[in-house]
Amino acid sequence: MKNQYCRVGAVTPITSGNQAVSILEFRYQSFIEKATDATYMDTNLGEFFKRKAQGIKRILENLG
């Protein structure tokens, strides 16, 4: 049996690849929905989801 090594922490950026835009759009919509739902339960959590959605929106604008 051969030893197999992997790089800990090595990741592929989500903005690379053929499906990057569709994945980011899905995540954006998901965070928007969560922000809308969570706003009524916990203001801090709603704000967190809004900030995440805004970050993804900026990435989408830069890609497009």
Side-chain angles (χ1 to χ4, degrees):
M1 199 188 243
K2 284 185 167 183
N3 290 337
Q4 295 182 353
Y5 300 98
C6 69
R7 294 161 127 188
V8 175
V11 296
T12 303
I14 190 117
T15 56
S16 66
N18 299 337
Q19 299 176 343
V21 173
S22 61
I23 292 171
L24 287 171
E25 286 174 346
F26 175 77
R27 288 191 177 179
Y28 174 74
Q29 288 299 324
S30 175
F31 280 126
I32 289 294
E33 289 172 8
K34 288 178 183 178
T36 303
D37 293 341
T39 301
Y40 300 109
M41 293 185 295
D42 183 21
T43 305
N44 293 330
L45 186 58
E47 289 298 318
F48 170 78
F49 288 135
K50 283 182 187 176
R51 284 193 307 272
K52 293 297 262 186
Q54 289 170 351
I56 292 173
K57 184 177 180 182
R58 276 188 242 117
I59 292 170
L60 284 169
E61 289 171 351
N62 290 336
L63 289 176

